[in-house]
Amino acid sequence: MQLLDRQQALAIAPLWRLGFRPFFLAGALFALLSVALWAAALHGLARPALSAGLLAWHRHEMPFGFGLAIIAGFLLTAVQNWTGRPGLSGRPLIALFGLWLAARLAWYVPMPLAVLIALQLAFIGLFIAQMARQLIAARQRNNYPILLVLSLLALCQALTLAGVSLGDDNLQRRGALAALWLIGVLLSLIGGRVIPFFTQRGLGRVEPFAAHPWLDRLLLVCGMLVAALFASGHNLQPHPGLAAPFIVLSVLHGLRLWRWHLRGIWRVPLLWSLHMAYAWLLLASLGMSAWHLGWLAHPSLASHALAVGAMGGLILAMMARVSLGHTGRALQPPKAMAWAFGLLNLGALIRVSAGSGWLWLAALCWSLAFALFAWYYAPMLCRARVDGHPG
């Protein structure tokens, strides 16, 4: 049976064998093009005709277009390892990817707003249904929190799109920011599993890092609470009492980073990139704490620390590592990826510390980082290895 499964996998074109292949490549290309377009529009160099307007498009597409694509690629691949059941591949994967692509293109094509909204929600709905089918069939109860967070993310997307439909800026902000912090919860959930494991393996450490389930559960609950406060609109206005959950998040993220840290990580780009990206979760939480306490002028600095530094950084680092591992290659990325990781972090630093006149440079750093990934990783994502590795 295993031989038959392998033969069936090898009969599928390499790009469609597992979810990470098309979604990582397309997500990286979308990241560099969409941010370049956003920056060009802000500086008056482009006037894209987008359904519902440029700001609504940017708010929606960064978490639900870019972020969700990479989340889908990673989880549709990881669920195969978790359950021991074949992951989505072939025609079903092509259909799901085609739906994601259609939802992205819908913003550029004149069509009824209801059709655009239906395309957006159809993708996340089918993705969650596929994940639920595999996890529930395998009784993977330890991964049910991921289904919960994905379902809440779908509700946030519905809230954002309701704001688009009604022309309500407040609803759009509530939905998009709540989604961004829910993605932070997913980054924490997945990062809490893979960063210590990758660090142990990457440095040849024999003893695994100690597990702390209470810390994981507290991060999950606190992260969902923060997202709920954004969705309800409470986190849109500063209030000293609302700094508390962000302070808790800061302490917990800091505790994790301290426990995971080994000096050897700074010699390994695939490791320091993960640790630096996770540190942006800490900085984003600290930033929101400072805003609620009146120490920071604007919360968008914290939001972009989360979006650019944490989400963008962890996505880039995970794509670089997962793409190598799941195509059966040695865990040695192209040397240019160290530059890509550095550019991504530089772009995040510029975005949260420099004035609006420097947004073009932050966008350039971001786009170059994802361009380097696409350039060096496209061949391995689109082709099979000579040994026929089915991943």
Side-chain angles (χ1 to χ4, degrees):
M1 181 62 73
Q2 289 181 347
L3 178 60
L4 180 61
D5 290 342
R6 182 179 177 85
Q7 290 174 340
Q8 291 173 340
L10 292 175
I12 299 170
L15 185 62
W16 307 109
R17 287 181 185 170
L18 274 176
F20 77 96
R21 287 177 177 266
F23 282 112
F24 282 9
L25 180 56
L29 291 171
F30 181 72
L32 74 93
L33 293 174
S34 59
V35 169
L37 178 62
W38 169 247
L42 288 181
H43 288 278
L45 301 176
R47 292 185 178 180
L50 295 162
S51 297
L54 182 68
L55 182 57
W57 167 80
H58 178 67
R59 279 178 178 160
H60 181 274
E61 290 299 272
M62 292 317 293
F64 302 115
F66 164 61
L68 193 57
I70 309 303
I71 290 168
F74 176 81
L75 291 179
L76 289 172
T77 303
V79 75
Q80 177 173 272
N81 294 335
W82 297 343
T83 64
R85 297 167 179 264
L88 201 67
S89 63
R91 290 180 181 177
L93 178 58
I94 294 172
L96 186 63
F97 175 79
L99 185 57
W100 173 83
L101 184 60
R104 308 286 68 76
L105 296 176
W107 291 89
Y108 304 89
V109 179
M111 64 173 59
L113 196 56
V115 176
L116 182 145
I117 291 172
L119 285 171
Q120 312 302 327
L121 296 178
F123 172 74
I124 195 170
L126 289 175
F127 165 49
I128 293 172
Q130 171 65 17
M131 289 295 299
R133 183 182 69 83
Q134 290 192 261
L135 291 175
I136 292 172
R139 298 182 180 179
Q140 282 274 319
R141 291 183 176 85
N142 62 313
N143 286 312
Y144 286 179
I146 290 176
L147 289 180
L148 173 61
V149 177
L150 290 176
S151 300
L152 293 175
L153 195 58
L155 292 177
C156 289
Q157 187 175 23
L159 181 63
T160 306
L161 291 169
V164 171
S165 177
L166 298 171
D168 189 324
D169 184 76
N170 184 264
L171 281 181
Q172 291 179 45
R173 289 181 64 210
R174 285 162 55 183
L177 288 170
L180 187 59
W181 284 89
L182 279 175
I183 290 174
V185 173
L186 280 176
L187 297 176
S188 174
L189 274 172
I190 296 168
R193 297 181 184 185
V194 303
I195 294 176
F197 176 73
F198 290 167
T199 301
Q200 177 198 350
R201 289 293 185 89
L203 297 181
R205 176 185 166 117
V206 176
E207 183 182 358
F209 289 90
H212 298 279
W214 64 270
L215 191 154
D216 301 339
R217 288 192 288 269
L218 193 53
L219 275 168
L220 174 65
V221 171
C222 197
M224 290 194 298
L225 172 62
V226 160
L229 289 170
F230 274 109
S232 65
H234 289 87
N235 259 330
L236 299 185
Q237 299 296 328
H239 188 284
L242 294 179
F246 291 104
I247 293 172
V248 173
L249 282 176
S250 303
V251 171
L252 296 178
H253 287 317
L255 184 59
R256 269 185 163 180
L257 283 169
W258 176 71
R259 285 176 168 166
W260 296 340
H261 183 263
L262 297 171
R263 284 183 296 178
I265 64 172
W266 303 107
R267 299 191 302 268
V268 185
L270 285 180
L271 295 182
W272 63 252
S273 57
L274 287 167
H275 286 256
M276 286 188 69
Y278 196 91
W280 283 103
L281 282 174
L282 167 61
L283 293 175
S285 302
L286 285 173
M288 284 302 301
S289 304
W291 179 67
H292 276 301
L293 293 171
W295 302 341
L296 188 67
H298 204 285
S300 72
L301 300 181
S303 299
H304 283 90
L306 176 57
V308 182
M311 183 178 77
L314 272 170
I315 279 175
L316 187 64
M318 286 294 293
M319 288 196 305
R321 206 292 186 175
V322 169
S323 298
L324 294 171
H326 280 280
T327 55
R329 289 170 169 83
L331 298 178
Q332 296 292 335
K335 291 182 179 180
M337 285 309 297
W339 286 97
F341 300 144
L343 282 167
L344 193 288
N345 282 280
L346 177 60
L349 183 62
I350 293 170
R351 182 62 186 85
V352 302
S353 63
S356 58
W358 293 95
L359 291 180
W360 66 271
L361 184 56
L364 179 62
C365 289
W366 167 285
S367 295
L368 285 175
F370 283 98
L372 286 169
F373 173 85
W375 177 263
Y376 284 100
Y377 277 77
M380 74 176 70
L381 293 172
C382 294
R383 300 179 199 159
R385 274 202 51 189
V386 292
D387 63 3
H389 191 279

